[in-house]
Amino acid sequence: MKKNILEYKGYHTTVEFDAETYVLRGKIEGINDFVNFESNDPRTIEQEFHKAVDDYLIFCQEVGKEPDKEYKGTFNIRIQPTLHKKLALLALKNGDSLNAVVEKAIQAYVEESKVTSTELQQTIRILSAALATQRIYKKECTMQIAAESKIIPFGGHTSPNIKMSYQETRLS
């Protein structure tokens, strides 16, 4: 499935549907200039976006203006004044600027998002493997741990028998 975010020549847009007029609309995101486009046909919305970007670049060239680049690394944020004060004082105490503190917080947020996604993918793989194993071993089974196994048995030097059983629970 294709998401509703499009990219062309380094510019991005989000396509939205207007239920009143049955029109798809978008605008170039992350620039100061306002460049929008629309289409009644979902099959042509990407072409309209491409035309809007191309027209914007031509317009900028004709008027001698440098086209805006997406996300230049500056943006304004609004927070509660008490939080602003606490943040500024803590940054000062730690010898950091507000920009440095905000950048660190954003970096941590972005990295946490990657970790969460990776952990989720790993969990899905583990659960998929467990379901596949469950289908193979529908009943209880007893298996001997091989001598080369990385599982170290407690007590004695012999490998213990391990009883394994799986139970599938499906949510409706």
Side-chain angles (χ1 to χ4, degrees):
M1 179 171 93
K2 193 172 186 178
K3 300 287 183 190
N4 67 339
I5 297 174
L6 302 174
E7 187 272 332
Y8 179 66
K9 294 186 177 179
Y11 293 96
H12 293 83
T13 189
T14 303
V15 177
E16 295 179 355
F17 175 69
D18 183 335
E20 286 184 25
T21 61
Y22 293 97
V23 173
L24 294 165
R25 291 192 171 91
K27 70 178 189 75
I28 297 176
E29 298 291 339
I31 64 173
N32 291 324
D33 296 321
F34 181 76
V35 181
N36 66 341
F37 58 94
E38 61 182 48
S39 176
N40 293 328
D41 184 354
R43 293 171 293 196
T44 64
I45 194 66
E46 189 167 9
Q47 293 170 334
E48 293 300 323
F49 170 54
H50 291 190
K51 280 194 244 177
V53 170
D54 290 338
D55 288 347
Y56 172 66
L57 296 173
I58 290 169
F59 171 78
C60 288
Q61 186 177 21
E62 287 176 355
V63 298
K65 174 193 182 308
E66 187 67 30
D68 277 354
K69 299 291 181 201
E70 277 191 333
Y71 309 109
K72 297 175 222 159
T74 60
F75 65 97
N76 294 322
I77 59 169
R78 289 170 200 72
I79 59 175
Q80 297 173 354
T82 55
L83 181 59
H84 185 182
K85 181 179 179 180
K86 288 177 184 178
L87 180 62
L89 293 174
L90 184 59
L92 182 63
K93 178 181 172 185
N94 292 328
D96 286 327
S97 67
L98 277 177
N99 283 337
V101 172
V102 170
E103 185 173 356
K104 287 177 189 176
I106 292 170
Q107 186 65 40
Y109 180 80
V110 169
E111 291 302 319
E112 175 64 28
S113 176
K114 287 181 187 176
V115 169
T116 302
S117 176
T118 302
E119 288 173 350
L120 180 60
Q121 290 172 1
Q122 184 178 9
T123 300
I124 290 169
R125 279 194 300 273
I126 291 168
L127 290 173
S128 296
L131 287 173
T133 303
Q134 176 183 345
R135 288 184 194 107
I136 294 169
Y137 299 100
K138 292 184 179 181
K139 298 180 181 180
E140 288 187 7
C141 69
T142 303
M143 68 182 276
Q144 184 79 17
I145 296 178
E148 66 272 6
S149 173
K150 294 184 183 189
I151 298 175
I152 301 170
F154 293 102
H157 294 289
T158 60
S159 300
N161 286 332
I162 295 181
K163 213 173 200 182
M164 297 175 64
S165 66
Y166 299 92
Q167 179 180 352
E168 180 175 62
T169 305
R170 293 185 181 227
L171 300 175
S172 301

